[in-house]
Amino acid sequence: MIRHATLDDIPEIRVMIRELAAYERAVEQARATEEQLREALFGAYPAAHALIAEDDDTGETVGLALWFPRFSTWTGTRGMHLEDLYVRPHARGAGHGKALLAALAATCRRNGYDRFEWWVLAWNTPAIDFYTSLGAELLDEWKVCRLSGEPLGELAAQAPEVVDPAGEG
């Protein structure tokens, strides 16, 4: 079963995010707290949305898809960015990942989103094979850019004053 996450899922969502981070060899980077996840998913202005995969026989939570809307200046339309897709190792191969992706694809169609995009680590061959089997296109010509930590702070320190013509900020 695929369902929308609820507030009661927050502890399990955090655990699955950390499990995914461990698989991706970056568990020290998975610092999100339950409070942060609660605000991001269920606060006054949600930053993201989550779907939960449950095993039909046991009701056990076996997977997670966490996503947020994007906007393309080229198409003039919204799209979807899948931040995390995770299926617990013992539940892989049973169709949960495909069901989560299909549910997200249906959300895209229902909301008029033209694009459904996500990142995959270059070494994660099983995931790459799975995604391409679904028809996903790997965009090798694009590179992900990221500023964080000290470089982010250094660039921010160089920012000019930004004028708000409406006087709202």
Side-chain angles (χ1 to χ4, degrees), residues 10 14 31-43 47:
I10 293 295
R14 183 172 184 273
R31 300 183 308 263
T33 65
E34 287 184 21
E35 182 177 314
Q36 288 173 315
L37 292 169
R38 189 174 295 107
E39 182 63 27
L41 296 172
F42 301 103

Side-chain angles (χ1 to χ4, degrees), residues 18-151:
R18 292 190 55 80
E19 289 172 6
L20 173 60
Y23 174 77
E24 293 182 349
R25 306 171 190 158
V27 72
E28 71 284 351
Q29 295 177 40
R31 300 183 308 263
T33 65
E34 287 184 21
E35 182 177 314
Q36 288 173 315
L37 292 169
R38 189 174 295 107
E39 182 63 27
L41 296 172
F42 301 103
Y45 302 100
H49 309 276
L51 294 178
I52 299 293
E54 289 183 347
D55 183 273
D56 289 333
D57 296 328
T58 66
E60 175 193 9
T61 300
V62 294
L64 164 73
L66 197 142
W67 67 277
F68 55 87
R70 305 178 64 136
F71 179 77
S72 170
T73 57
W74 289 18
T75 66
T77 60
R78 285 184 178 234
M80 177 183 287
H81 177 80
L82 174 60
E83 181 66 16
D84 288 331
L85 176 70
Y86 179 68
V87 175
R88 290 187 156 135
H90 73 275
R92 292 181 187 156
H96 302 294
K98 185 174 183 179
L100 285 164
L101 288 172
L104 293 174
T107 298
C108 288
R109 288 295 187 210
R110 189 170 47 255
N111 292 328
Y113 296 174
D114 281 345
R115 294 180 178 167
F116 178 17
E117 299 175 327
W118 61 93
W119 303 338
V120 61
L121 290 166
W123 58 260
N124 194 346
T125 305
I128 291 169
D129 291 345
F130 172 59
Y131 299 146
T132 56
S133 77
L134 299 175
E137 175 185 8
L138 298 178
L139 303 177
D140 293 330
E141 67 273 16
W142 292 90
K143 298 289 183 190
V144 176
C145 299
R146 177 183 294 159
L147 275 176
S148 60
E150 192 174 320

Side-chain angles (χ1 to χ4, degrees), residues 2-13:
I2 305 300
R3 63 173 176 77
H4 291 278
T6 67
L7 279 168
D8 292 339
D9 292 312
I10 293 295
E12 196 70 13
I13 289 171

